[in-house]
Coordinates of all heavy atoms in Angstrom, one line a residue:
M1 N 8.2 -86.2 113.8 CA 7.2 -85.6 113.1 C 6.0 -85.3 114.0 O 4.9 -85.0 113.5 CB 6.7 -86.4 111.9 CG 7.8 -86.8 110.9 SD 8.5 -85.3 110.3 CE 9.8 -85.9 109.3
K2 N 6.3 -85.4 115.2 CA 5.3 -85.2 116.2 C 4.9 -83.7 116.3 O 5.7 -82.8 116.2 CB 5.8 -85.6 117.6 CG 4.7 -85.6 118.6 CD 5.3 -86.1 119.9 CE 4.3 -86.0 121.0 NZ 4.9 -86.5 122.3
G3 N 3.6 -83.3 116.3 CA 3.2 -82.0 116.4 C 3.1 -81.2 115.1 O 2.9 -80.0 115.0
Q4 N 3.3 -81.9 113.9 CA 3.2 -81.2 112.7 C 1.8 -80.8 112.3 O 1.6 -79.9 111.5 CB 3.9 -82.0 111.6 CG 5.3 -82.0 111.7 CD 6.0 -82.8 110.4 OE1 5.3 -83.4 109.7 NE2 7.3 -82.6 110.3
S5 N 0.9 -81.4 112.8 CA -0.5 -81.1 112.5 C -0.9 -79.6 112.9 O -1.8 -79.0 112.4 CB -1.5 -82.0 113.1 OG -1.4 -81.9 114.6
A6 N -0.1 -79.1 113.8 CA -0.3 -77.7 114.2 C 0.1 -76.7 113.1 O -0.3 -75.6 113.2 CB 0.5 -77.4 115.5
F7 N 0.9 -77.2 112.1 CA 1.4 -76.2 111.1 C 0.5 -76.3 109.8 O 0.8 -75.7 108.8 CB 2.8 -76.6 110.7 CG 3.7 -76.3 111.8 CD1 4.3 -77.3 112.6 CD2 4.1 -75.0 112.1 CE1 5.1 -77.0 113.6 CE2 4.9 -74.7 113.2 CZ 5.5 -75.7 113.9
V8 N -0.6 -77.0 109.9 CA -1.5 -77.1 108.7 C -2.2 -75.8 108.5 O -2.7 -75.2 109.5 CB -2.6 -78.2 109.0 CG1 -3.6 -78.2 107.8 CG2 -1.9 -79.6 109.1
Q9 N -2.1 -75.3 107.3 CA -2.6 -74.0 107.1 C -4.1 -74.1 106.7 O -4.5 -75.0 106.0 CB -1.9 -73.3 105.9 CG -0.5 -72.9 106.2 CD 0.2 -72.2 105.1 OE1 -0.4 -72.1 104.0 NE2 1.4 -71.9 105.3
R10 N -4.8 -73.1 107.2 CA -6.2 -73.1 106.9 C -6.4 -72.3 105.6 O -5.8 -71.2 105.4 CB -7.0 -72.4 108.0 CG -7.1 -73.2 109.2 CD -7.9 -72.5 110.2 NE -8.7 -73.4 111.0 CZ -9.5 -73.1 111.9 NH1 -9.7 -71.8 112.2 NH2 -10.2 -73.9 112.6
V11 N -7.2 -72.7 104.7 CA -7.5 -72.0 103.5 C -8.8 -71.2 103.7 O -9.8 -71.8 104.1 CB -7.7 -73.0 102.3 CG1 -8.1 -72.2 101.1 CG2 -6.4 -73.8 102.1
H12 N -8.7 -69.9 103.5 CA -9.9 -69.1 103.7 C -10.7 -69.1 102.4 O -10.3 -68.8 101.4 CB -9.5 -67.7 104.0 CG -10.7 -66.7 104.1 ND1 -11.6 -66.8 105.2 CD2 -11.2 -65.8 103.3 CE1 -12.5 -65.9 105.0 NE2 -12.3 -65.3 103.8
T13 N -12.0 -69.5 102.6 CA -12.9 -69.5 101.4 C -13.9 -68.4 101.7 O -14.4 -68.2 102.8 CB -13.7 -70.8 101.3 OG1 -14.3 -71.1 102.5 CG2 -12.7 -72.0 101.0
P14 N -14.1 -67.5 100.7 CA -14.9 -66.4 100.8 C -16.4 -66.9 101.0 O -16.8 -67.9 100.4 CB -14.8 -65.7 99.5 CG -14.3 -66.6 98.5 CD -13.4 -67.6 99.3
S15 N -17.1 -66.3 101.9 CA -18.4 -66.6 102.1 C -19.3 -65.7 101.3 O -19.2 -64.5 101.4 CB -18.8 -66.5 103.6 OG -18.6 -65.2 104.1
F16 N -20.2 -66.3 100.6 CA -21.2 -65.6 99.8 C -22.5 -65.7 100.5 O -23.0 -66.8 100.9 CB -21.3 -66.2 98.4 CG -20.0 -65.9 97.6 CD1 -19.1 -67.0 97.4 CD2 -19.8 -64.7 97.1 CE1 -18.0 -66.8 96.7 CE2 -18.6 -64.6 96.3 CZ -17.7 -65.6 96.2
N17 N -23.2 -64.6 100.7 CA -24.5 -64.6 101.3 C -25.5 -63.8 100.4 O -25.0 -63.2 99.4 CB -24.5 -64.1 102.7 CG -23.9 -62.7 102.7 OD1 -24.1 -61.9 101.8 ND2 -23.3 -62.3 103.9
L18 N -26.7 -63.9 100.7 CA -27.7 -63.2 99.8 C -27.5 -61.7 99.8 O -27.7 -61.1 98.7 CB -29.1 -63.6 100.4 CG -30.3 -63.3 99.6 CD1 -30.1 -64.0 98.2 CD2 -31.6 -63.7 100.2
Q19 N -27.0 -61.1 100.9 CA -26.8 -59.7 100.8 C -25.8 -59.3 99.9 O -25.9 -58.3 99.1 CB -26.5 -59.2 102.2 CG -26.4 -57.7 102.3 CD -26.1 -57.2 103.7 OE1 -25.9 -58.0 104.6 NE2 -26.1 -55.9 103.9
S20 N -24.6 -60.0 99.9 CA -23.5 -59.6 99.0 C -23.9 -59.9 97.5 O -23.6 -59.1 96.6 CB -22.2 -60.4 99.3 OG -22.4 -61.8 99.1
L21 N -24.7 -60.9 97.3 CA -25.2 -61.2 95.9 C -26.1 -60.1 95.5 O -26.1 -59.7 94.3 CB -25.9 -62.5 95.9 CG -26.4 -63.0 94.5 CD1 -25.3 -63.1 93.6 CD2 -27.1 -64.3 94.7
S22 N -26.9 -59.6 96.4 CA -27.9 -58.5 96.1 C -27.1 -57.3 95.7 O -27.5 -56.5 94.8 CB -28.8 -58.3 97.3 OG -29.6 -57.2 97.1
V23 N -26.1 -57.0 96.4 CA -25.3 -55.8 96.1 C -24.6 -55.9 94.7 O -24.7 -54.9 94.0 CB -24.2 -55.6 97.2 CG1 -23.1 -54.5 96.8 CG2 -24.8 -55.2 98.5
V24 N -24.1 -57.0 94.4 CA -23.5 -57.2 93.1 C -24.5 -57.1 92.0 O -24.3 -56.5 91.0 CB -22.8 -58.6 93.1 CG1 -22.3 -58.9 91.6 CG2 -21.6 -58.6 94.0
A25 N -25.7 -57.7 92.2 CA -26.8 -57.7 91.2 C -27.3 -56.3 91.0 O -27.5 -55.8 89.9 CB -27.9 -58.6 91.6
H26 N -27.4 -55.5 92.1 CA -27.8 -54.1 92.0 C -26.8 -53.3 91.2 O -27.1 -52.4 90.4 CB -28.1 -53.5 93.4 CG -28.5 -52.1 93.4 ND1 -29.7 -51.7 92.9 CD2 -27.8 -50.9 93.7 CE1 -29.8 -50.4 92.9 NE2 -28.7 -49.9 93.4
A27 N -25.5 -53.5 91.5 CA -24.5 -52.7 90.8 C -24.5 -53.0 89.3 O -24.3 -52.1 88.5 CB -23.1 -53.0 91.4
A28 N -24.6 -54.3 89.0 CA -24.7 -54.7 87.6 C -25.9 -54.1 86.9 O -25.8 -53.6 85.8 CB -24.7 -56.2 87.5
W29 N -27.0 -54.1 87.5 CA -28.3 -53.5 87.0 C -28.1 -52.0 86.7 O -28.4 -51.5 85.7 CB -29.5 -53.8 87.9 CG -30.7 -53.3 87.3 CD1 -31.4 -52.1 87.6 CD2 -31.5 -53.8 86.2 NE1 -32.5 -52.0 86.9 CE2 -32.6 -53.0 85.9 CE3 -31.3 -54.9 85.4 CZ2 -33.5 -53.2 85.0 CZ3 -32.2 -55.1 84.4 CH2 -33.3 -54.3 84.2
A30 N -27.5 -51.4 87.7 CA -27.3 -49.9 87.6 C -26.3 -49.6 86.5 O -26.5 -48.6 85.7 CB -26.7 -49.3 88.9
R31 N -25.3 -50.4 86.2 CA -24.4 -50.2 85.1 C -25.1 -50.4 83.8 O -24.9 -49.6 82.8 CB -23.2 -51.2 85.3 CG -22.3 -51.2 84.1 CD -21.0 -50.5 84.2 NE -20.5 -50.1 85.4 CZ -19.4 -50.6 86.0 NH1 -18.6 -51.5 85.3 NH2 -19.0 -50.2 87.1
L32 N -26.0 -51.4 83.7 CA -26.7 -51.6 82.4 C -27.7 -50.5 82.2 O -27.8 -50.0 81.0 CB -27.5 -53.0 82.5 CG -26.7 -54.2 82.5 CD1 -27.6 -55.4 82.8 CD2 -26.0 -54.4 81.1
V33 N -28.3 -50.0 83.2 CA -29.2 -48.8 83.0 C -28.4 -47.6 82.5 O -28.9 -46.9 81.7 CB -30.0 -48.5 84.3 CG1 -30.7 -47.2 84.2 CG2 -31.0 -49.7 84.6
R34 N -27.3 -47.4 83.1 CA -26.4 -46.2 82.7 C -26.0 -46.4 81.3 O -26.0 -45.4 80.5 CB -25.2 -46.2 83.7 CG -24.2 -45.1 83.3 CD -24.7 -43.7 83.5 NE -23.7 -42.8 83.1 CZ -23.9 -41.6 82.7 NH1 -25.1 -41.1 82.6 NH2 -22.9 -40.8 82.3
W35 N -25.6 -47.6 80.9 CA -25.2 -47.8 79.5 C -26.3 -47.5 78.5 O -26.1 -46.9 77.5 CB -24.7 -49.2 79.3 CG -23.3 -49.4 79.9 CD1 -22.4 -48.5 80.3 CD2 -22.7 -50.7 80.1 NE1 -21.2 -49.1 80.8 CE2 -21.4 -50.4 80.7 CE3 -23.1 -52.0 79.9 CZ2 -20.6 -51.5 81.0 CZ3 -22.2 -53.0 80.2 CH2 -21.0 -52.7 80.8
Q36 N -27.5 -47.9 78.9 CA -28.7 -47.7 78.0 C -29.0 -46.2 77.9 O -29.3 -45.7 76.9 CB -29.9 -48.4 78.6 CG -31.1 -48.2 77.7 CD -32.3 -48.9 78.2 OE1 -32.5 -49.1 79.4 NE2 -33.2 -49.4 77.4
M37 N -28.8 -45.5 79.0 CA -29.1 -44.1 79.1 C -28.0 -43.3 78.2 O -28.3 -42.4 77.4 CB -29.0 -43.5 80.5 CG -29.3 -42.0 80.6 SD -29.4 -41.3 82.3 CE -28.3 -42.3 83.2
L38 N -26.7 -43.7 78.3 CA -25.7 -43.2 77.4 C -26.0 -43.3 76.0 O -25.8 -42.4 75.1 CB -24.3 -43.8 77.8 CG -23.6 -43.2 79.0 CD1 -22.4 -44.1 79.3 CD2 -23.3 -41.8 78.9
H39 N -26.4 -44.5 75.6 CA -26.8 -44.8 74.2 C -27.9 -43.9 73.7 O -27.8 -43.3 72.6 CB -27.2 -46.3 74.0 CG -27.6 -46.7 72.7 ND1 -26.7 -46.7 71.6 CD2 -28.8 -46.9 72.2 CE1 -27.4 -47.1 70.6 NE2 -28.7 -47.2 70.8
R40 N -28.9 -43.8 74.5 CA -30.1 -42.9 74.1 C -29.7 -41.5 74.0 O -30.0 -40.8 73.1 CB -31.2 -43.0 75.1 CG -32.0 -44.3 75.0 CD -33.1 -44.3 76.0 NE -33.8 -45.5 76.0 CZ -34.7 -46.0 76.9 NH1 -34.9 -45.2 78.0 NH2 -35.3 -47.1 76.8
Q41 N -28.8 -41.0 74.9 CA -28.4 -39.6 74.9 C -27.6 -39.4 73.6 O -27.7 -38.3 73.0 CB -27.6 -39.3 76.1 CG -28.4 -39.1 77.4 CD -27.6 -38.9 78.6 OE1 -26.3 -39.0 78.5 NE2 -28.2 -38.7 79.7
R42 N -26.7 -40.3 73.3 CA -25.9 -40.1 72.1 C -26.7 -40.2 70.8 O -26.4 -39.4 69.8 CB -24.8 -41.2 72.1 CG -23.7 -40.9 73.1 CD -22.7 -42.0 73.2 NE -21.7 -41.7 74.2 CZ -21.0 -42.5 74.9 NH1 -21.2 -43.8 74.8 NH2 -20.1 -42.1 75.8
Q43 N -27.7 -41.0 70.8 CA -28.6 -41.0 69.6 C -29.4 -39.8 69.5 O -29.6 -39.2 68.5 CB -29.6 -42.2 69.7 CG -28.9 -43.6 69.7 CD -28.0 -43.7 68.4 OE1 -28.5 -43.4 67.3 NE2 -26.8 -44.1 68.5
H44 N -29.9 -39.2 70.6 CA -30.6 -37.9 70.6 C -29.7 -36.8 70.2 O -30.1 -35.9 69.4 CB -31.2 -37.6 72.0 CG -32.4 -38.4 72.3 ND1 -32.7 -38.8 73.6 CD2 -33.4 -38.9 71.5 CE1 -33.7 -39.6 73.6 NE2 -34.2 -39.7 72.3
L45 N -28.4 -36.8 70.6 CA -27.5 -35.8 70.2 C -27.2 -35.9 68.7 O -27.2 -34.9 68.0 CB -26.1 -36.0 70.9 CG -25.0 -35.0 70.7 CD1 -25.5 -33.6 71.2 CD2 -23.8 -35.5 71.4
A46 N -27.1 -37.1 68.1 CA -26.9 -37.3 66.7 C -28.1 -36.8 65.9 O -27.9 -36.4 64.7 CB -26.7 -38.7 66.4
A47 N -29.3 -36.7 66.5 CA -30.5 -36.3 65.8 C -30.7 -34.8 65.7 O -31.5 -34.3 65.0 CB -31.7 -37.0 66.4
L48 N -29.9 -34.0 66.5 CA -30.0 -32.6 66.5 C -29.6 -32.0 65.2 O -28.6 -32.5 64.5 CB -29.2 -32.0 67.6 CG -29.6 -32.4 69.1 CD1 -28.6 -31.7 70.1 CD2 -31.0 -31.8 69.3
S49 N -30.2 -30.9 64.8 CA -29.8 -30.2 63.6 C -28.5 -29.4 63.8 O -28.1 -29.2 65.0 CB -31.0 -29.2 63.2 OG -31.0 -28.2 64.1
D50 N -27.9 -29.0 62.7 CA -26.7 -28.2 62.8 C -26.9 -26.9 63.6 O -26.1 -26.4 64.3 CB -26.1 -27.9 61.5 CG -25.5 -29.2 60.8 OD1 -25.2 -30.1 61.5 OD2 -25.4 -29.2 59.6
E51 N -28.1 -26.3 63.4 CA -28.4 -25.0 64.1 C -28.5 -25.3 65.6 O -28.0 -24.5 66.4 CB -29.7 -24.5 63.6 CG -29.7 -23.9 62.1 CD -29.8 -25.1 61.1 OE1 -30.4 -26.1 61.4 OE2 -29.3 -24.9 60.0
M52 N -29.1 -26.4 66.0 CA -29.2 -26.7 67.4 C -27.9 -27.0 68.0 O -27.6 -26.6 69.1 CB -30.2 -27.9 67.6 CG -31.6 -27.6 67.2 SD -32.6 -29.1 67.4 CE -33.9 -28.6 68.5
L53 N -27.0 -27.7 67.3 CA -25.7 -27.9 67.8 C -24.9 -26.7 67.9 O -24.2 -26.5 68.9 CB -25.0 -28.9 66.8 CG -25.5 -30.3 66.7 CD1 -24.8 -31.1 65.7 CD2 -25.3 -31.0 68.1
K54 N -25.1 -25.7 67.0 CA -24.4 -24.4 67.1 C -24.9 -23.7 68.4 O -24.0 -23.1 69.0 CB -24.7 -23.6 65.9 CG -23.9 -22.3 65.8 CD -24.2 -21.5 64.5 CE -23.5 -20.2 64.5 NZ -23.8 -19.4 63.3
D55 N -26.1 -23.8 68.7 CA -26.7 -23.2 69.9 C -26.0 -23.7 71.2 O -25.9 -22.9 72.1 CB -28.2 -23.4 70.0 CG -29.0 -22.5 69.0 OD1 -28.4 -21.6 68.5 OD2 -30.2 -22.8 68.8
I56 N -25.7 -24.9 71.2 CA -25.0 -25.5 72.4 C -23.5 -25.5 72.3 O -22.8 -26.1 73.2 CB -25.6 -26.9 72.7 CG1 -25.3 -27.9 71.6 CG2 -27.1 -26.8 73.0 CD1 -25.6 -29.4 72.0
G57 N -23.0 -25.0 71.2 CA -21.5 -24.9 71.1 C -20.8 -26.1 70.7 O -19.7 -26.3 71.0
R58 N -21.5 -26.9 69.9 CA -20.9 -28.2 69.4 C -21.0 -28.2 67.8 O -21.9 -27.6 67.2 CB -21.6 -29.4 69.9 CG -21.6 -29.5 71.4 CD -20.2 -29.9 71.8 NE -20.0 -29.9 73.2 CZ -18.9 -29.7 73.9 NH1 -17.8 -29.6 73.2 NH2 -18.9 -29.8 75.2
S59 N -20.1 -28.9 67.2 CA -20.1 -29.1 65.8 C -20.5 -30.5 65.5 O -20.6 -31.4 66.3 CB -18.7 -28.8 65.2 OG -17.8 -29.9 65.6
R60 N -20.8 -30.7 64.2 CA -21.2 -32.0 63.7 C -20.0 -33.0 64.0 O -20.2 -34.2 64.3 CB -21.5 -32.0 62.3 CG -22.0 -33.3 61.7 CD -23.3 -33.9 62.3 NE -24.4 -33.0 62.3 CZ -25.5 -33.2 63.0 NH1 -25.7 -34.4 63.7 NH2 -26.5 -32.4 63.0
A61 N -18.8 -32.6 63.9 CA -17.6 -33.4 64.1 C -17.6 -33.9 65.6 O -17.3 -35.0 65.9 CB -16.4 -32.7 63.7
D62 N -17.9 -32.9 66.5 CA -18.0 -33.3 67.9 C -19.0 -34.4 68.2 O -18.8 -35.4 68.9 CB -18.4 -32.1 68.8 CG -17.4 -31.0 68.8 OD1 -16.2 -31.2 68.5 OD2 -17.7 -29.8 69.0
V63 N -20.2 -34.3 67.5 CA -21.2 -35.2 67.7 C -20.8 -36.6 67.1 O -21.0 -37.6 67.8 CB -22.5 -34.7 67.0 CG1 -23.6 -35.8 67.0 CG2 -23.1 -33.5 67.7
E64 N -20.2 -36.6 65.9 CA -19.8 -37.8 65.4 C -18.8 -38.5 66.2 O -18.8 -39.8 66.4 CB -19.2 -37.6 63.9 CG -20.2 -37.2 63.0 CD -21.4 -38.2 62.8 OE1 -21.1 -39.4 62.8 OE2 -22.5 -37.7 62.6
A65 N -17.9 -37.8 66.8 CA -16.9 -38.4 67.7 C -17.6 -39.0 69.0 O -17.2 -40.1 69.4 CB -15.8 -37.4 68.2
E66 N -18.6 -38.3 69.5 CA -19.3 -38.8 70.7 C -20.1 -40.0 70.3 O -20.1 -41.0 71.1 CB -20.2 -37.7 71.3 CG -20.8 -38.1 72.5 CD -19.9 -38.4 73.7 OE1 -18.8 -37.8 73.8 OE2 -20.3 -39.2 74.5
V67 N -20.8 -40.0 69.2 CA -21.7 -41.1 68.8 C -20.9 -42.3 68.5 O -21.4 -43.5 68.7 CB -22.6 -40.7 67.7 CG1 -23.4 -41.8 67.0 CG2 -23.6 -39.6 68.1
S68 N -19.7 -42.2 68.0 CA -18.9 -43.3 67.6 C -18.3 -44.1 68.8 O -17.7 -45.2 68.7 CB -17.7 -42.9 66.6 OG -16.8 -42.1 67.3
R69 N -18.4 -43.5 70.0 CA -17.8 -44.1 71.2 C -18.6 -45.3 71.6 O -19.9 -45.4 71.3 CB -17.8 -43.1 72.4 CG -16.9 -42.0 72.2 CD -17.2 -40.9 73.3 NE -16.7 -41.3 74.6 CZ -16.6 -40.6 75.6 NH1 -17.0 -39.4 75.6 NH2 -16.2 -41.0 76.8
P70 N -18.1 -46.4 72.1 CA -18.8 -47.5 72.5 C -19.7 -47.2 73.7 O -19.5 -46.3 74.5 CB -17.7 -48.6 72.9 CG -16.4 -47.8 73.0 CD -16.6 -46.5 72.3
F71 N -20.8 -48.0 73.8 CA -21.8 -47.7 74.8 C -21.3 -47.7 76.2 O -21.8 -47.1 77.1 CB -23.0 -48.6 74.7 CG -22.7 -50.0 75.0 CD1 -22.9 -50.5 76.3 CD2 -22.4 -50.9 74.0 CE1 -22.6 -51.8 76.5 CE2 -22.1 -52.2 74.3 CZ -22.2 -52.7 75.6
W72 N -20.3 -48.5 76.5 CA -19.7 -48.7 77.8 C -18.7 -47.6 78.2 O -18.3 -47.5 79.3 CB -19.0 -50.0 78.0 CG -17.9 -50.2 77.1 CD1 -16.6 -49.8 77.3 CD2 -17.9 -50.9 75.8 NE1 -15.8 -50.2 76.2 CE2 -16.6 -50.9 75.3 CE3 -18.9 -51.6 75.1 CZ2 -16.3 -51.4 74.1 CZ3 -18.5 -52.1 73.8 CH2 -17.2 -52.1 73.4
D73 N -18.4 -46.7 77.2 CA -17.4 -45.6 77.4 C -18.1 -44.5 78.1 O -18.7 -43.6 77.5 CB -16.8 -45.2 76.1 CG -15.6 -44.3 76.3 OD1 -15.3 -44.0 77.4 OD2 -15.0 -43.9 75.3
D74 N -18.1 -44.5 79.4 CA -18.8 -43.4 80.2 C -17.9 -42.3 80.6 O -17.0 -42.6 81.3 CB -19.4 -44.1 81.4 CG -20.3 -43.3 82.3 OD1 -20.4 -42.0 82.0 OD2 -21.0 -43.8 83.2
P75 N -18.2 -41.1 80.1 CA -17.3 -40.0 80.5 C -17.3 -39.6 81.9 O -16.4 -39.0 82.4 CB -17.8 -38.9 79.6 CG -19.2 -39.2 79.3 CD -19.3 -40.7 79.3
L76 N -18.3 -40.0 82.7 CA -18.4 -39.7 84.1 C -17.8 -40.8 85.0 O -17.7 -40.6 86.2 CB -19.9 -39.5 84.5 CG -20.6 -38.3 83.8 CD1 -22.0 -38.2 84.3 CD2 -19.8 -37.0 84.0
R77 N -17.4 -41.9 84.4 CA -16.9 -43.0 85.3 C -15.4 -42.7 85.6 O -14.6 -42.4 84.7 CB -17.0 -44.3 84.6 CG -16.6 -45.5 85.4 CD -17.0 -46.8 84.7 NE -16.6 -47.8 85.6 CZ -15.8 -48.8 85.2 NH1 -15.5 -49.0 83.9 NH2 -15.5 -49.8 86.1
R78 N -15.1 -42.9 86.9 CA -13.7 -42.7 87.3 C -12.9 -43.8 86.9 O -13.3 -44.9 86.8 CB -13.6 -42.6 88.8 CG -14.4 -41.4 89.4 CD -14.2 -41.3 90.8 NE -15.3 -40.5 91.4 CZ -15.5 -40.3 92.6 NH1 -14.7 -40.9 93.5 NH2 -16.4 -39.6 93.1
R79 N -11.7 -43.5 86.5 CA -10.8 -44.6 86.1 C -9.7 -44.9 87.1 O -9.4 -44.2 88.0 CB -10.1 -44.2 84.8 CG -11.2 -44.0 83.8 CD -10.7 -43.8 82.4 NE -11.8 -43.4 81.5 CZ -12.2 -44.1 80.5 NH1 -11.5 -45.2 80.2 NH2 -13.2 -43.7 79.8

């Protein structure tokens, strides 16, 4: 069993530093802000009159479908 210590595997532990934590925190904050913006836009869309919706080429059914989506359902987010 001589020399077996050379076969000990090293376990890589990820190193966390302040910069990587800052990047993660910034991304989380940006996502929260985006979700809040989506919620507000959907609420404003729901408040439009039928005439205004007709002007932009949308129906009340279109609006109801959009407003019923969950706040995290972002149509611009890549999947």
Side-chain angles (χ1 to χ4, degrees):
M1 305 302 175
K2 187 177 177 182
Q4 283 187 349
S5 61
F7 294 105
V8 174
Q9 293 182 356
R10 290 180 145 180
V11 177
H12 175 70
T13 56
S15 61
F16 294 101
N17 58 29
L18 193 56
Q19 184 179 6
S20 63
L21 182 60
S22 174
V23 169
V24 170
H26 179 70
W29 182 257
R31 171 103 17 117
L32 289 172
V33 169
R34 174 68 179 153
W35 285 345
Q36 183 181 29
M37 185 174 30
L38 281 171
H39 176 72
R40 284 184 184 164
Q41 289 174 353
R42 288 173 177 151
Q43 293 305 311
H44 288 145
L45 185 63
L48 294 177
S49 69
D50 289 337
E51 292 81 24
M52 294 172 126
L53 292 174
K54 186 177 178 183
D55 285 344
I56 63 172
R58 297 292 174 201
S59 68
R60 183 60 57 189
D62 294 335
V63 170
E64 292 302 321
E66 184 64 30
V67 170
S68 68
R69 293 169 72 172
F71 67 89
W72 62 83
D73 190 1
D74 187 348
L76 298 180
R77 185 165 182 235
R78 296 181 200 177
R79 297 188 189 241

